[in-house]
Amino acid sequence: MHIAAEVPAPVSRPKRRKALWLIALAATTALGGLTYAFTGVEDTVGEGLQERPMACSEAMYAMGWVLPDHASDQRCTELSGGLAGHTQSGIFRMPRADARSWLASLPGERNRPGGVGSDSVVERKEGLALGILRPPGSLQADEVRVDVRWEGEDTAAVTFETFDY
């Protein structure tokens, strides 16, 4: 007894063309999406971002804060547009002796990492740090990080950056 194996019917040419066309369409769509992801979004961010210098007192006011007395060497910027939302950053110098009390006076919900005091100021060998969630000013920031670095016996460099998630 001889059993003949069933041979599948050949795929017709119209179905084969349709399948190839769908594969080509899917590949083109995928490549187009990847191209946009690597170039289109980058162009949008690059074109949409605007950085401008601003007074540090203005940046502090927008967060509901006051620039410390005797602040010097102030350089602050505002970055807006694109995917960045609206952020501010800056650096200034102030008397080292006033740094902790100034940080402790800043209003806003404290980001309380483990092992810090009741004022949420983190003490380090090289300086101080503080995180504020949603500062009370007009700037719609989700977080502000303030870092103080000792520059000598009398001077501290203060940097801050806002984050809009």
Side-chain angles (χ1 to χ4, degrees), residues 26-45:
T28 302
T29 302
L31 287 174
L34 287 173
T35 301
Y36 177 75
F38 289 108
T39 61
V41 172
E42 184 177 284
D43 291 343
T44 302
V45 171

Side-chain angles (χ1 to χ4, degrees), residues 126-147:
E126 65 276 359
L128 306 169
L130 177 67
I132 299 282
L133 304 174
R134 295 171 291 287
S138 61
L139 181 66
Q140 297 298 311
D142 292 313
E143 183 180 4
V144 182
R145 294 181 195 153
V146 185
D147 189 52

Side-chain angles (χ1 to χ4, degrees), residues 2 29 46 58-59 66-67 76 87 97 102 115 119 141 155 157-158 162:
H2 183 325
T29 302
E58 180 185 349
V66 176
L67 189 66
C76 294
T87 63
W102 178 74
D119 60 6
T155 307
V158 179
T162 66

